[in-house]
Amino acid sequence: MSFFPKISFQYEVEGYLTKVFRNKELITALGAQEAENKYQSLLSHLSHPPGFTTVRVNTHLASVKREKIQFKGLCVPALEHLKLQDILLIPVVGPRRDLKKHASEVIVGAQCGYAVLRGAHVYVPGIVSTSRFVKAGDLVSVYSDIEGKCKRGAKEFEGVKVFLGNGISELSRSEIFSSTGPLKGLGVRMIEPVYLSPSFDNVLPRHLFLQNLPSVVVRKTTHLGEVIAMDKIANKVKKIKQNAELLQLNCIKAFCYDGTRALSVEKREDKQEGPPFLPESFDRILLDAPCSGMGQRPNMAYSSTLKEVTSYQPLQRKLFTVAVKLLKPGGVLVYSTCTITLAENEEQVAWALKTFPCLHLHPQEPHIGGEGMKGAGLSLDQLKLLQRFDPSAVTLQGMDINSLQDSREDDLISLANKDCIGFFIAKFIKSNSKYGFGNAT
């Protein structure tokens, strides 16, 4: 059952998505009503946070132990994932519908609000407005300005705002909006959030870090190993000649099996002319592509225009073309996005298979997400080789402490595999054929 309204889009983007999720292939497979129900369920899920917090453990410095975690007076289990041995899954309790709202209010920006819904406290830079007489130590109700219409420093706001919970103000209004410039640090310590999730602010940052479940899966699928170690290798790579084609490869990470060479190209603002310069070839490439980001949760108001949304497909194809050129025969290329559109996901797979005859879809391990979505002309066998993490695969139901205690661990892990952000993964193998390139567009 929804606690927040469904995610909202600009009119043209809403029409675009409606066509995507009512495409002929999908309706033929599911029926018009079932396809519509899944789409509406997805819109509701996107405005709510995932049902679990995923904590990645740096196993070079710490071991993964299943223990109870205590926060805000609750004791919840930290679950070990059988297929992802370096993560812990922490169930999120909420939404809490019985919280009393206070007269004093703090309005925060949308991004700050989304962080609060996933366990964060409120920091001063995220505060947009407070009630007139807020003092340090006051109980305040925190709201999110999801449409970005509240003016900074306003004493009241009557626009669209979403209740996030209650907290204690660490500063007075005059300190928050000091004339000497915005302060830093903690602004409101959340004591009664709508969603109860542990805060990991400044908690063993070298040992633990937060990461969405599909982001862990994609690195396992690519066999990149420990991210921290690989990044250190990448930092040792000598500078390579920059040019227009490689400028956009900030999202590509490529590695050789022996671990001696790696490519990590940072995005540059200045563009240099010149022919494509390919420094080496690689055994494994992860193309974590720039995308429209529609799978991120929570998000209550998606602000991008249709022009912005549709601009990603051609950019992704340019990056994909470079990645294929960099990949050794027999090498692995993994393509991923955190969005829900066909154009950036399954349509890109269909285009890649047609454009590059040297590429073949390959089974993924671990395979935790669902199969790909119909609508791009891929066969059922091809769709089964993809991973699409679709939050609408489960009912939006929330979790209270009693139902949590009554749940089986296996059922909770199965739920965590589905109740996450929207995400997509495709894995390709490059054949040894020298006739590998079609017409890349």
Side-chain angles (χ1 to χ4, degrees):
M1 183 178 179
S2 295
F3 183 79
F4 301 123
K6 296 175 183 176
I7 184 174
S8 64
F9 298 95
Q10 294 197 18
Y11 178 77
E12 290 183 335
V13 175
E14 184 175 357
Y16 168 81
L17 284 177
T18 299
K19 291 179 181 179
V20 169
F21 287 91
R22 293 176 183 168
N23 74 75
K24 186 180 296 185
E25 280 188 58
L26 199 59
I27 288 179
T28 300
L30 300 179
Q33 189 58 55
E34 179 61 22
E36 181 64 20
N37 290 343
K38 281 183 66 64
Y39 176 48
Q40 295 302 322
S41 174
L42 176 61
L43 298 183
S44 293
H45 276 81
L46 291 176
S47 65
H48 294 71
F52 295 78
T53 297
T54 304
V55 181
R56 188 94 179 265
V57 180
N58 182 350
T59 52
H60 292 291
L61 301 176
S63 59
V64 180
K65 293 183 179 180
R66 181 176 61 184
E67 297 179 351
K68 297 281 186 178
I69 293 181
Q70 296 186 357
F71 60 97
K72 295 182 175 67
L74 294 179
C75 184
V76 299
L79 308 172
E80 291 183 62
H81 199 293
L82 296 179
K83 294 186 177 181
L84 302 168
Q85 284 81 18
D86 59 347
I87 71 167
L88 291 171
L89 298 168
I90 304 171
V92 175
V93 176
R96 303 161 75 194
R97 302 174 184 272
D98 57 349
L99 297 180
K100 178 183 176 181
K101 298 177 183 178
H102 300 288
S104 293
E105 297 182 357
V106 171
I107 310 295
V108 302
Q111 295 303 317
C112 176
Y114 301 151
V116 170
L117 289 174
R118 299 200 69 173
H121 297 292
V122 176
Y123 286 81
V124 174
I127 298 176
V128 180
S129 166
T130 74
S131 297
R132 186 181 301 269
F133 300 111
V134 168
K135 303 184 300 297
D138 283 356
L139 286 172
V140 295
S141 288
V142 179
Y143 296 83
S144 175
D145 170 27
I146 61 172
E147 296 182 344
K149 294 184 177 180
C150 182
K151 293 184 179 180
R152 181 167 177 79
K155 297 180 175 65
E156 57 184 27
F157 177 59
E158 299 301 329
V160 178
K161 57 187 181 183
V162 172
F163 178 61
L164 305 177
N166 299 317
I168 297 175
S169 181
E170 297 290 315
L171 301 167
S172 67
R173 174 185 167 81
S174 61
E175 290 173 313
I176 292 171
F177 301 109
S178 171
S179 60
T180 58
L183 298 173
K184 297 181 180 180
L186 188 62
V188 178
R189 179 164 48 87
M190 299 299 296
I191 58 172
E192 292 180 329
V194 166
Y195 280 91
L196 278 167
S197 183
S199 172
F200 285 87
D201 295 341
N202 301 317
V203 177
L204 298 175
R206 295 178 64 244
H207 294 73
L208 307 172
F209 58 99
L210 301 179
Q211 191 168 21
N212 287 306
L213 180 70
S215 299
V216 181
V217 175
V218 74
R219 289 186 175 275
K220 297 290 185 181
T221 300
T222 320
H223 301 294
L224 291 188
E226 186 60 48
V227 179
I228 295 174
M230 286 298 182
D231 284 345
K232 286 181 179 178
I233 294 173
N235 289 334
K236 295 179 181 178
V237 180
K238 295 180 179 179
K239 292 182 179 179
I240 64 172
K241 181 178 178 182
Q242 298 289 329
N243 59 75
E245 187 167 8
L246 287 180
L247 286 176
Q248 317 233 7
L249 293 183
N250 59 307
C251 55
I252 289 183
K253 288 189 180 292
F255 303 100
C256 294
Y257 280 124
D258 59 10
T260 59
R261 292 172 299 173
L263 171 67
S264 180
V265 184
E266 300 297 330
K267 184 175 182 180
R268 289 179 47 171
E269 297 300 326
D270 58 316
K271 293 188 177 181
Q272 300 180 18
E273 300 297 330
F277 177 76
L278 305 181
E280 353 182 15
S281 57
F282 299 90
D283 298 297
R284 294 167 289 169
I285 294 177
L286 168 58
L287 173 50
D288 187 16
C291 69
S292 57
M294 290 188 187
Q296 293 293 353
R297 298 174 62 193
N299 190 352
M300 299 177 198
Y302 185 83
S303 60
S304 294
T305 64
L306 181 59
K307 182 178 180 180
E308 290 170 329
V309 169
T310 56
S311 70
Y312 287 100
Q313 189 191 68
L315 171 60
Q316 292 160 353
R317 292 184 178 183
K318 289 179 181 178
L319 293 170
F320 198 101
T321 299
V322 176
V324 175
K325 291 177 181 177
L326 287 169
L327 189 65
K328 288 181 178 179
V332 173
L333 168 58
V334 174
Y335 172 84
S336 67
T337 74
C338 59
T339 196
I340 59 175
T341 68
L342 273 173
E344 299 172 73
N345 295 328
E346 288 84 359
E347 285 184 14
Q348 297 293 53
V349 172
W351 165 83
L353 294 174
K354 180 179 180 180
T355 304
F356 306 107
C358 61
L359 293 183
H360 307 279
L361 284 175
H362 195 266
Q364 301 181 41
E365 183 58 40
H367 198 294
I368 292 173
E371 64 184 35
M373 189 170 82
K374 297 178 176 65
L378 296 171
S379 69
L380 291 178
D381 287 340
Q382 289 172 327
L383 292 174
K384 290 178 181 178
L385 293 174
L386 308 175
Q387 291 199 72
R388 176 180 271 260
F389 289 83
D390 177 6
S392 68
V394 292
T395 303
L396 186 63
Q397 56 189 4
M399 180 83 69
D400 60 41
I401 194 65
N402 292 325
S403 61
L404 176 60
Q405 292 174 344
D406 293 338
S407 299
R408 296 174 57 248
E409 184 173 317
D410 290 348
D411 292 337
L412 290 173
I413 294 174
S414 177
L415 179 61
N417 290 341
K418 300 177 178 67
D419 193 1
C420 56
I421 65 169
F423 206 87
F424 178 83
I425 309 172
K427 183 176 182 178
F428 301 88
I429 298 292
K430 186 176 183 179
S431 69
N432 292 315
S433 171
K434 60 181 179 181
Y435 304 104
F437 280 79
N439 295 319
T441 57

